[in-house]
Amino acid sequence: MKSQLDTKFDEYLDFPCQFPFKILGLADARLPDMVVEVLQLHAPGDYSPTIKPSSKGNYHAVSVSVTVTSKEHIETLYLKLGELELVKYVL
C-alpha cells in the first residue's frame, strides 16, 4: 500500500524508535480504547495512553508513545488513527 503522505521522517529518525502521537478527538470514553485498538493492529505493544480533557471538556487529547520501524509505519499510523470516527486531528 502506497502512503499518501510524503514525510521526511526517514531523514531525521533512526529506526526503530519511540515516536509520540497526540490524537485529538471528541470527549468520549471509547476514544482511548479505539486508539489503542488501531495501534495494536499496526504496532502491537503495551500501551498506556495519557488523556487530557480540553478546557471546556468537549475534546480529549490522547498521547501515546509508539515504537515505529519506518517512515511508512509512521505514515500508516497517522492515516489509520485519522480514520477513527471520534478523531479530529492526529499530531
Side-chain angles (χ1 to χ4, degrees):
M1 175 177 95
K2 178 81 173 111
S3 172
Q4 294 107 355
L5 301 175
D6 187 21
T7 63
K8 305 262 188 244
F9 291 121
D10 55 334
E11 295 176 19
Y12 302 109
L13 300 172
D14 290 322
F15 296 103
C17 65
Q18 289 290 303
F19 191 84
F21 284 89
K22 183 180 257 188
I23 299 94
L24 301 176
L26 297 178
D28 186 305
R30 298 173 301 156
L31 180 62
D33 290 337
M34 293 169 79
V35 166
V36 169
E37 194 174 306
V38 168
L39 295 178
Q40 292 294 7
L41 281 174
H42 299 282
D46 187 18
Y47 297 108
S48 47
T50 57
I51 296 101
K52 184 176 176 192
S54 65
S55 56
K56 293 184 180 174
N58 298 332
Y59 297 95
H60 282 170
V62 179
S63 299
V64 63
S65 187
V66 179
T67 300
V68 292
T69 56
S70 68
K71 169 181 111 133
E72 292 78 17
H73 196 197
I74 295 172
E75 294 170 354
T76 297
L77 288 168
Y78 268 112
L79 292 170
K80 295 301 180 185
L81 289 166
E83 289 171 2
L84 291 171
E85 61 175 306
L86 298 175
V87 171
K88 295 296 178 198
Y89 301 101
V90 180
L91 307 173

